[in-house]
Amino acid sequence: MRPIRASSPARVQSRIDGCAPSRARRLLRLGTPLIPICGARQVDPGAAHLAARPNLRRPIGGSGLGPSFLLGAALLLSGCALQRDIATVTPGVAVGAPAPALSGEALDGSTLHVSLSGSRTVIVFWAAWCGPCRKEQPVLNRIAADYAPQGVAVVGVDMLDHDRALARAFVQEFGVSYPSLYDEAGRAAAAYEVDGPPAIVLVDGRGIIVGRVPGEVGEPLLRQLIVSKLQVALVTSSAAANG
């Protein structure tokens, strides 16, 4: 008797496609089983059950469903309830932990070493292909200018941008004054447990992570976070008021 093979790559890919891209990457990285579906895509419960237990034959007809098969079908239907949502997963580099070192090649080709101890730092994870990054870049420009006199440094991490020319064009278009680490392979993003841009990490003068902002954030909230987490005075940008 030939054992029934596990699911084909196409079937596994269909299950990954049912999840958000960032969740699929996290599930793959954690090695979480991908049989439960995260979207509305339908998968034959029998096929999924057989993929999990390749030595069983597919049940014939509507009879002969044993308790183990019914349990497998119930687990399949529960789907995303079994998967850990990345919004609820505590990052490996959580608030209160030392910030990983940030150094390497800058976007302009120079060597960049960010001193995270002794200065308060706002780390901005971005990419030229990221729509929300374009929307919030003028805000970040204002914040970088407003809080520099108080010793707050802003540094960018250009993550997963495989076209350096496009990233440089982004910097030129928005007149970004602060430097950016060129993180084409996503190593710095992985060290900070950032799944995708935009994201902001706040590091205090001790080199400790004191705040994390996944996703796009409004200017008033970001300013409040900088004031409360980095212990600086609130600055109201005149450019923001006039813009």
Side-chain angles (χ1 to χ4, degrees), residues 6-229:
S7 296
S8 66
R11 181 179 294 278
V12 172
Q13 185 62 46
S14 73
R15 294 169 192 151
I16 298 176
D17 291 342
C19 303
S22 60
R23 170 184 271 177
R25 291 195 302 270
R26 173 64 62 85
L27 296 180
L28 289 173
R29 186 163 64 246
L30 294 177
T32 306
L34 291 173
I35 289 178
I37 337 173
C38 290
R41 190 184 301 272
Q42 298 296 321
V43 176
D44 177 11
H49 177 65
L50 291 174
R53 304 182 62 184
N55 290 327
L56 298 180
R57 285 183 176 274
R58 180 189 301 270
I60 301 176
S63 60
L65 300 181
S68 60
F69 175 81
L70 295 177
L71 176 60
L75 292 177
L76 178 66
L77 293 176
S78 64
C80 293
L82 298 179
Q83 304 288 13
R84 297 196 300 168
D85 194 311
I86 62 172
T88 63
V89 174
T90 302
V93 188
V95 171
L102 203 57
S103 62
E105 185 180 2
L107 187 57
D108 62 6
S110 63
T111 300
L112 178 63
H113 175 73
V114 181
S115 178
L116 296 174
S117 180
S119 64
R120 291 162 288 196
T121 310
V122 178
I123 306 175
V124 178
F125 291 85
W126 66 278
W129 45 263
C130 164
C133 298
R134 299 182 63 85
K135 181 179 177 181
E136 73 176 12
Q137 189 56 56
V139 171
L140 296 171
N141 288 348
R142 290 194 292 268
I143 286 177
D146 290 344
Y147 287 98
Q150 298 193 53
V152 176
V154 179
V155 61
V157 176
D158 178 25
M159 62 179 291
L160 302 176
D161 243 340
H162 303 304
D163 189 340
R164 187 184 293 224
L166 188 62
R168 287 175 173 172
F170 179 101
V171 170
Q172 184 175 6
E173 176 184 354
F174 290 99
V176 182
S177 60
Y178 52 82
S180 281
L181 183 72
Y182 185 53
D183 189 29
E184 180 181 13
R187 293 189 180 91
Y192 278 84
E193 286 287 344
V194 172
D195 288 293
I200 292 175
V201 176
L202 304 178
V203 181
D204 68 7
R206 303 167 299 163
I208 301 298
I209 295 176
V210 293
R212 297 175 64 97
V213 185
E216 187 178 355
V217 60
E219 182 169 2
L221 176 57
L222 182 55
R223 287 180 180 271
Q224 291 173 10
L225 287 172
I226 290 174
V227 168
S228 63
K229 300 299 184 180

